[in-house]
Amino acid sequence: MKDRKELTGEQIVVKVGDLKIGGNNPPVIIAGPCAVESRQQVMETALALKEISIDILRGGVFKPRTSPYSFQGLGLEGLKYLKEAGEKIKVPVITELMDEKNLEAVVEYSDIIQIGSRNMYNYSLLKEIGRIDKPVLLKRGMSASIKEWIMAAEYIAAYGNKNIILCERGIRTFEVYTRNTLDLAAVPIMKGETGLPVIVDPSHGTGRRELILPMSKAALACGANGLMIEVHIDPQKALSDGQQSITPEQYKKIFLEVKKSYFKL
Amino acid sequence: MKDRKELTGEQIVVKVGDLKIGGNNPPVIIAGPCAVESRQQVMETALALKEISIDILRGGVFKPRTSPYSFQGLGLEGLKYLKEAGEKIKVPVITELMDEKNLEAVVEYSDIIQIGSRNMYNYSLLKEIGRIDKPVLLKRGMSASIKEWIMAAEYIAAYGNKNIILCERGIRTFEVYTRNTLDLAAVPIMKGETGLPVIVDPSHGTGRRELILPMSKAALACGANGLMIEVHIDPQKALSDGQQSITPEQYKKIFLEVKKSYFKL
Amino acid sequence: MKDRKELTGEQIVVKVGDLKIGGNNPPVIIAGPCAVESRQQVMETALALKEISIDILRGGVFKPRTSPYSFQGLGLEGLKYLKEAGEKIKVPVITELMDEKNLEAVVEYSDIIQIGSRNMYNYSLLKEIGRIDKPVLLKRGMSASIKEWIMAAEYIAAYGNKNIILCERGIRTFEVYTRNTLDLAAVPIMKGETGLPVIVDPSHGTGRRELILPMSKAALACGANGLMIEVHIDPQKALSDGQQSITPEQYKKIFLEVKKSYFKL
Amino acid sequence: MKDRKELTGEQIVVKVGDLKIGGNNPPVIIAGPCAVESRQQVMETALALKEISIDILRGGVFKPRTSPYSFQGLGLEGLKYLKEAGEKIKVPVITELMDEKNLEAVVEYSDIIQIGSRNMYNYSLLKEIGRIDKPVLLKRGMSASIKEWIMAAEYIAAYGNKNIILCERGIRTFEVYTRNTLDLAAVPIMKGETGLPVIVDPSHGTGRRELILPMSKAALACGANGLMIEVHIDPQKALSDGQQSITPEQYKKIFLEVKKSYFKL
């Protein structure tokens, strides 16, 4: 990969407000619902998570769904709810951006911009993200090679923005027991190759809630700089990804066990 | 796939000017360079192809390259050259659209809008394409399942545009001998499931020029409504995809042999 | 693949009795049930196929099943029924060999020895097969690379047996619509690389009976030297692979259409 | 997987001499060269490992190589060297069995019988292994699904042998940066589904020695009952798998760091 000019392995620490991600900083946890479904739902979830512990609140308002007839997210309205919930519990928020036309709104309301798996190859969008200086979380494409993922990050960096957090979320393989195959070797590889912080999403990475705890431990053990976990106050009623979402109660158990082993107390 | 409302298997014939694609119409050949590199290059190629036989002229002007430092295409300038070459040899032209901001220009200059593999999941773009009535060629994502590909087409149709041509271009597998694994079973499957015309791209589908002829024959034998082939006047000097490009001379041989077996003479 | 000494691309025609497979010889059809289930079943199937047209009769007697509790085949008894049926309709027979201990029996009763996908990497068995001079049909492993498949054939050739027929039967990918992804590019590749005849199994290659006809046509169009098709007199009651089996009636339609297009009449 | 009768999730602890594997027993480390190359090489390696710490000594004497012209192992002679080295340092030994004809010899000289990836579907061999009571280490096939792997273990159990240790060694995917994609989610899944101990092979699982340490930590963090690591006194000169082998020195560093975090001291 002789093509790289910006991301060559030198360690980069990304700052989100007072929070530092990467390097020797303790791992962060991003938690929240797959989708913002209502003001009440995101606020309740946020308050429940605040009580346990959370570093960044997540919530999708623009949803890239396989079917055009599935719930597509609340849009701008949801974005405001998410921001309000984040301010209430005093943590930064992250949401996914799917296109340039919503860039301004997302930049205004969200502290981190997420580029989802389906847009990792959307080079036009990556260039736009490169032109601003907001932190961006770049998920690996569902069948993106290590090389392609590195170069997608390089696109953002080449256009001027190095505030990049990478997120391994599982790759597509023949295996059907899990939704995706979580490729944890990507954690040390991507940290070494790019110098960027790498977090892991065990919710999408496995698609099964009983695997979130063991995979969270494994992720941190091999050097992940954080975790991204889907939490819903009522997973049975979730408008998307209910099967892999956990309740705040379940999140608490995971957090405590993970904390015990790996976090500075 | 109970979610489908628009594309339910009823046969759809797509018209591009006087050309009809799909149904019982004879297969069409889309040929031309991977990228428009100069006015002279696209014009020379077009004239050479005209002499042999060609239905639609292709040429990329916005190029989704893995590296931000690779040639990104000539943009609007290239689009004008492509249009000019198409008019010169009196065939419609097709080019790839990567983002909404160039939609208007591509609609103006191109007869068919191509959505490339990397944007098959770009639902924001698919919705925009759905709102216009230009014919669109939707390539399969590089690891898109049959179901996801159907639903991507349904996105376009759901927003009002059924002038959709599907294009199988190979999927990503463990095999490294070929660039992709051409999934020809997708041809009868997608025709049956959606009713849309399906064409095959053996150039990207194999990545090796010696496989273009046998795979073209196989594609037509299982019902493909057309082929998309990369032709370059000097593959050694091509700015992209030289390895899988063929010369007009080589195209002639392929065309004649394919014609002999499958086309109405 | 500098390692090759025996299979270097020079064309090899395999003889099975009077039948010649490979080179410019017309394609052959191997048909019959997935498993020999009873004397009556294999005889009835054979007679029905004879009436239509068949070159080689297939039938498994040792079955490599995923579960130890599934029907494992009739063994030696089934082998005798298969042989008897083949003699009755005057065509050679083929059955799968799973281990060395049954080699002698299979050599005695079967005209071609099949090495199934699950044993392509069983190098001990390949060496034994190399030491005899019976024709062998070597299926591609379910995720074997082109290189590994070539080298598996080279194992057999290196130990002295070049009477090898290759069989593409689909590879394992992320796609779940089909049972496997039929990799037809492997046909011209393997013919060119090894010089051996290559046949295609559209039954296992797709797992869906409606795809057998289009994929048979495609296989022959890109140069396959034959087809291997699962036929059962009553697919609903088949002890294995019922979903991809066709009746003799359905086989007749496929045979006639394929014959019309590709066979010397 | 209603088909299971023997392995239904109840915890099984496998005993190898005094060593207990699985359940709440501390993780074990299996180390040694990919192949036994000479009496001196295996003895030197064993002595170096003994000094550091090792639970089981590995060494291949029957090697399933992609090319028939590559080193195929020392066979029975190598088996005796391995046994001698194991006795010298007082640890049990493990070696791979490729066929029934060497079963008796392997049972006599080896304390654990390894079934390699290429033979996971070799049901004839699995049945034979099921008839004896030696501990067996069953590697996952290179593209075996979770279900197929479970059923391969069930084959052994169904024929009477429940002394089974499972070994995740990476699966085949599109990714080429690593030799295989280590599927660590398989660890908690297989432990839960079968009750058997699961160990992880980060050497084959990644193919890169710099990834052995982080992946070893991750494996143990998600519950692996042990590790299998390739160690060679001179990786540059190894007759196979040199790229992923480490020296005893490098092994020492890994052992100490892994021990510090996870082992009972």
Side-chain angles (χ1 to χ4, degrees):
Chain A
M1 280 167 275
K2 51 178 189 284
D3 252 356
R4 266 182 290 154
K5 295 179 187 168
E6 301 295 334
L7 304 172
T8 52
E10 203 185 337
Q11 199 170 82
I12 291 171
V13 171
V14 176
K15 288 180 201 155
V16 182
D18 295 336
L19 198 64
K20 289 175 186 169
I21 305 173
N24 294 319
N25 295 290
V28 296
I29 302 190
I30 303 171
C34 177
V36 173
E37 297 168 4
S38 71
R39 186 175 175 279
Q40 192 192 345
Q41 171 245 20
V42 69
M43 192 60 83
E44 265 187 51
T45 310
L47 290 169
L49 288 169
K50 178 64 178 174
E51 233 174 83
I52 301 157
S53 180
I54 179 180
D55 297 299
I56 297 165
L57 180 67
R58 63 155 286 161
V61 301
F62 303 109
K63 300 299 304 171
R65 305 302 298 278
T66 299
S67 166
Y69 310 116
S70 298
F71 174 60
Q72 307 274 312
L74 293 184
L76 189 55
E77 189 194 342
L79 195 48
K80 289 175 183 169
Y81 299 154
L82 178 69
K83 182 67 178 167
E84 187 189 345
E87 282 173 349
K88 179 83 179 174
I89 65 167
K90 297 193 178 62
V91 298
V93 300
I94 177 172
T95 205
E96 180 171 350
L97 173 70
M98 285 174 63
D99 45 48
E100 206 184 324
K101 69 171 169 283
N102 290 298
L103 177 59
E104 212 176 313
V106 171
V107 166
E108 185 181 343
Y109 290 99
S110 185
D111 302 287
I112 307 176
I113 299 174
Q114 178 177 321
I115 299 297
S117 289
R118 288 169 186 75
N119 281 304
M120 193 209 80
Y121 296 115
N122 186 342
Y123 299 128
S124 297
L125 190 58
L126 298 184
K127 288 178 185 177
E128 293 304 323
I129 294 292
R131 290 191 180 102
I132 57 173
D133 62 357
K134 271 264 163 172
V136 54
L137 182 140
L138 178 67
K139 285 200 153 190
R140 183 178 186 176
M142 58 181 81
S143 69
S145 66
I146 289 288
K147 185 183 169 180
E148 290 171 339
W149 192 14
I150 292 173
M151 295 314 292
E154 181 77 17
Y155 256 99
I156 299 171
Y159 281 75
N161 186 354
K162 288 195 187 176
N163 297 309
I164 305 164
I165 302 158
L166 300 170
C167 178
E168 161 65 27
R169 47 75 75 200
I171 55 173
R172 184 164 277 189
T173 69
F174 61 83
E175 183 58 68
V176 294
Y177 191 101
T178 44
R179 182 172 176 184
N180 292 291
T181 295
L182 193 63
D183 180 14
L184 287 182
V187 175
I189 293 170
M190 293 300 284
K191 284 178 70 177
E193 289 278 357
T194 66
L196 295 169
V198 179
I199 70 161
V200 170
D201 176 345
S203 305
H204 283 89
T206 66
R208 298 174 77 115
R209 64 174 70 94
E210 75 274 18
L211 295 174
I212 295 176
L213 175 58
M215 291 302 100
S216 292
K217 287 176 164 184
L220 295 175
C222 66
N225 301 104
L227 300 169
M228 188 172 205
I229 297 174
E230 288 189 346
V231 182
H232 195 282
I233 39 172
D234 189 354
Q236 303 301 330
K237 294 192 182 152
L239 296 179
S240 60
D241 286 353
Q243 251 191 326
Q244 70 200 30
S245 292
I246 54 174
T247 61
E249 296 301 292
Q250 293 164 325
Y251 174 75
K252 188 174 182 178
K253 280 187 200 153
I254 290 173
F255 171 73
L256 289 176
E257 199 168 336
V258 164
K259 189 186 170 189
K260 199 166 52 189
S261 321
Y262 307 95
F263 284 80
K264 277 68 173 178
L265 297 177
Chain B
M1 280 166 273
K2 49 178 191 288
D3 252 356
R4 267 182 289 154
K5 295 180 187 168
E6 301 295 335
L7 304 172
T8 53
E10 204 185 336
Q11 199 171 84
I12 292 170
V13 171
V14 176
K15 288 179 200 153
V16 182
D18 295 336
L19 198 63
K20 289 175 187 170
I21 305 172
N24 294 318
N25 295 289
V28 296
I29 301 191
I30 303 171
C34 176
V36 173
E37 296 167 5
S38 70
R39 186 173 175 279
Q40 193 192 345
Q41 171 245 20
V42 69
M43 192 61 83
E44 267 187 50
T45 311
L47 290 169
L49 289 168
K50 178 65 177 174
E51 233 174 83
I52 300 156
S53 181
I54 178 179
D55 298 298
I56 298 164
L57 180 67
R58 62 156 288 160
V61 302
F62 303 109
K63 300 300 302 172
R65 305 302 299 280
T66 299
S67 165
Y69 310 116
S70 298
F71 174 59
Q72 306 274 312
L74 293 184
L76 189 55
E77 187 194 346
L79 194 49
K80 290 175 182 170
Y81 299 154
L82 178 69
K83 182 67 178 168
E84 187 188 347
E87 282 172 351
K88 180 81 177 177
I89 66 168
K90 297 194 177 62
V91 299
V93 299
I94 178 172
T95 205
E96 180 171 351
L97 174 69
M98 285 174 63
D99 46 49
E100 206 183 325
K101 69 172 168 283
N102 289 299
L103 176 59
E104 213 176 313
V106 171
V107 166
E108 185 181 343
Y109 289 98
S110 186
D111 302 286
I112 308 176
I113 299 173
Q114 178 178 320
I115 300 297
S117 289
R118 289 169 186 74
N119 282 303
M120 194 208 81
Y121 296 115
N122 186 342
Y123 299 128
S124 296
L125 190 59
L126 298 185
K127 288 178 185 176
E128 294 303 322
I129 294 292
R131 292 192 179 102
I132 57 173
D133 64 357
K134 271 267 164 171
V136 53
L137 182 140
L138 178 67
K139 286 201 153 189
R140 183 180 187 175
M142 57 182 80
S143 68
S145 67
I146 289 289
K147 184 183 170 181
E148 290 172 339
W149 192 15
I150 292 173
M151 295 315 290
E154 181 77 18
Y155 256 99
I156 299 171
Y159 281 76
N161 185 355
K162 288 195 187 177
N163 297 310
I164 305 164
I165 303 157
L166 300 170
C167 179
E168 162 64 28
R169 45 77 73 201
I171 55 173
R172 183 164 280 189
T173 70
F174 61 82
E175 183 59 67
V176 294
Y177 191 99
T178 44
R179 182 173 175 183
N180 292 290
T181 295
L182 194 63
D183 180 15
L184 287 181
V187 174
I189 292 170
M190 293 301 284
K191 285 177 70 176
E193 289 278 356
T194 66
L196 295 169
V198 179
I199 70 161
V200 170
D201 176 345
S203 304
H204 283 89
T206 66
R208 298 174 77 114
R209 62 174 71 94
E210 75 272 19
L211 295 173
I212 295 176
L213 175 57
M215 291 302 100
S216 291
K217 287 175 164 186
L220 295 173
C222 65
N225 300 104
L227 300 170
M228 188 171 205
I229 297 174
E230 289 189 344
V231 181
H232 195 281
I233 40 172
D234 189 354
Q236 303 301 330
K237 293 191 184 154
L239 296 180
S240 59
D241 285 352
Q243 251 193 325
Q244 70 199 34
S245 292
I246 53 175
T247 61
E249 296 301 292
Q250 293 164 325
Y251 174 75
K252 189 174 184 178
K253 281 187 200 151
I254 289 173
F255 172 73
L256 290 176
E257 199 168 335
V258 165
K259 188 185 171 191
K260 201 167 50 188
S261 321
Y262 307 94
F263 285 82
K264 279 74 175 170
L265 296 176
Chain C
M1 280 167 273
K2 50 177 190 285
D3 252 356
R4 268 184 289 154
K5 295 178 186 169
E6 301 294 335
L7 305 172
T8 52
E10 203 185 337
Q11 199 172 84
I12 291 170
V13 171
V14 176
K15 288 179 201 153
V16 182
D18 295 336
L19 198 64
K20 288 175 187 169
I21 305 172
N24 294 319
N25 295 289
V28 297
I29 301 192
I30 303 172
C34 177
V36 173
E37 296 167 5
S38 70
R39 186 174 174 280
Q40 195 192 343
Q41 171 245 20
V42 68
M43 192 60 83
E44 266 187 51
T45 311
L47 290 169
L49 289 169
K50 178 64 177 174
E51 233 174 84
I52 300 156
S53 181
I54 178 177
D55 297 300
I56 298 164
L57 180 66
R58 63 156 287 161
V61 302
F62 303 108
K63 301 299 302 171
R65 304 302 298 280
T66 298
S67 166
Y69 311 116
S70 298
F71 174 60
Q72 306 274 311
L74 294 184
L76 188 56
E77 188 195 346
L79 195 49
K80 290 173 183 171
Y81 299 155
L82 178 69
K83 182 66 177 168
E84 187 189 347
E87 283 172 350
K88 179 82 177 177
I89 65 167
K90 297 193 177 64
V91 298
V93 299
I94 178 172
T95 204
E96 180 171 350
L97 173 69
M98 284 174 62
D99 45 49
E100 206 183 325
K101 69 172 170 283
N102 289 300
L103 177 58
E104 213 176 312
V106 170
V107 165
E108 186 181 343
Y109 289 98
S110 186
D111 302 287
I112 307 176
I113 299 174
Q114 178 177 320
I115 300 296
S117 289
R118 287 170 186 75
N119 282 303
M120 193 208 81
Y121 296 115
N122 186 342
Y123 299 127
S124 296
L125 190 58
L126 299 184
K127 288 177 185 178
E128 294 302 323
I129 294 292
R131 292 191 179 101
I132 57 174
D133 63 357
K134 271 267 162 169
V136 53
L137 183 140
L138 178 67
K139 286 200 153 190
R140 182 180 188 175
M142 56 182 81
S143 68
S145 67
I146 290 289
K147 183 183 170 180
E148 290 172 338
W149 192 16
I150 292 173
M151 295 314 291
E154 181 77 19
Y155 256 99
I156 299 171
Y159 281 75
N161 186 354
K162 287 195 189 178
N163 296 309
I164 305 164
I165 302 157
L166 299 171
C167 179
E168 161 64 28
R169 45 76 73 200
I171 54 173
R172 183 163 280 188
T173 69
F174 61 83
E175 183 58 68
V176 294
Y177 191 100
T178 44
R179 181 174 176 183
N180 292 290
T181 295
L182 195 62
D183 180 15
L184 287 181
V187 174
I189 292 170
M190 292 301 284
K191 285 177 70 177
E193 289 277 356
T194 66
L196 296 169
V198 179
I199 70 161
V200 170
D201 177 345
S203 305
H204 283 89
T206 66
R208 298 175 78 113
R209 64 175 69 94
E210 76 273 18
L211 295 174
I212 295 176
L213 175 57
M215 291 302 99
S216 292
K217 287 174 162 184
L220 295 173
C222 66
N225 300 104
L227 300 170
M228 187 172 206
I229 296 174
E230 289 189 343
V231 181
H232 195 281
I233 41 173
D234 189 353
Q236 303 301 330
K237 293 190 183 153
L239 296 180
S240 60
D241 285 352
Q243 252 193 325
Q244 70 199 32
S245 292
I246 54 175
T247 61
E249 297 301 293
Q250 293 165 325
Y251 174 75
K252 189 174 183 178
K253 279 187 202 154
I254 289 173
F255 172 73
L256 290 175
E257 200 169 334
V258 165
K259 189 187 171 189
K260 201 167 51 187
S261 321
Y262 307 96
F263 285 81
K264 278 69 174 173
L265 297 176
Chain D
M1 281 168 274
K2 52 178 188 282
D3 252 356
R4 266 183 290 154
K5 295 179 186 169
E6 301 294 336
L7 303 173
T8 52
E10 203 186 337
Q11 199 172 82
I12 291 170
V13 171
V14 177
K15 288 180 200 155
V16 182
D18 295 335
L19 198 63
K20 289 175 187 170
I21 304 172
N24 294 320
N25 295 289
V28 296
I29 301 192
I30 303 171
C34 177
V36 173
E37 297 168 5
S38 70
R39 186 175 175 279
Q40 193 192 344
Q41 171 245 19
V42 68
M43 192 59 83
E44 265 186 52
T45 311
L47 290 169
L49 288 169
K50 177 65 177 174
E51 234 174 85
I52 300 156
S53 180
I54 178 179
D55 296 299
I56 298 165
L57 180 67
R58 63 155 288 160
V61 302
F62 303 109
K63 300 300 303 170
R65 305 301 300 279
T66 299
S67 166
Y69 311 116
S70 298
F71 174 59
Q72 306 273 312
L74 293 184
L76 188 55
E77 188 195 343
L79 195 48
K80 290 175 183 168
Y81 299 154
L82 178 69
K83 182 66 177 167
E84 188 189 345
E87 282 173 349
K88 179 83 178 175
I89 65 166
K90 299 192 175 66
V91 299
V93 299
I94 177 172
T95 205
E96 180 171 350
L97 173 69
M98 284 174 63
D99 45 48
E100 206 183 323
K101 68 171 171 282
N102 289 299
L103 177 58
E104 212 176 313
V106 171
V107 166
E108 186 182 342
Y109 289 99
S110 186
D111 302 287
I112 307 176
I113 299 173
Q114 179 177 321
I115 300 297
S117 288
R118 287 169 187 75
N119 281 303
M120 193 209 80
Y121 296 115
N122 186 342
Y123 299 128
S124 296
L125 190 58
L126 298 185
K127 288 178 185 177
E128 294 303 323
I129 293 292
R131 292 191 180 101
I132 56 173
D133 62 357
K134 271 265 164 172
V136 54
L137 182 141
L138 179 67
K139 285 200 154 190
R140 183 180 187 175
M142 58 182 81
S143 69
S145 66
I146 289 289
K147 184 181 169 181
E148 290 172 339
W149 191 15
I150 292 173
M151 295 315 292
E154 181 77 18
Y155 257 99
I156 299 171
Y159 281 75
N161 187 354
K162 288 195 188 176
N163 297 309
I164 306 164
I165 302 157
L166 300 170
C167 179
E168 161 64 28
R169 47 75 76 201
I171 55 173
R172 184 164 279 188
T173 70
F174 61 83
E175 184 58 68
V176 294
Y177 191 100
T178 43
R179 182 174 175 183
N180 292 290
T181 295
L182 194 63
D183 180 14
L184 287 182
V187 175
I189 292 170
M190 293 300 284
K191 284 178 71 177
E193 289 278 355
T194 67
L196 295 170
V198 179
I199 70 160
V200 170
D201 177 345
S203 305
H204 283 89
T206 66
R208 299 175 77 114
R209 64 174 69 96
E210 75 274 18
L211 295 174
I212 294 176
L213 175 57
M215 290 302 100
S216 292
K217 287 175 164 184
L220 295 174
C222 67
N225 300 104
L227 300 169
M228 189 172 203
I229 297 174
E230 289 189 345
V231 182
H232 194 283
I233 41 172
D234 189 354
Q236 302 302 329
K237 293 190 182 152
L239 296 179
S240 59
D241 285 353
Q243 250 191 326
Q244 69 200 32
S245 292
I246 53 174
T247 61
E249 296 301 292
Q250 293 165 325
Y251 174 74
K252 188 173 183 178
K253 280 186 200 152
I254 289 173
F255 171 73
L256 290 177
E257 199 168 337
V258 164
K259 188 186 171 191
K260 199 166 51 188
S261 322
Y262 306 97
F263 285 80
K264 278 74 173 169
L265 296 177

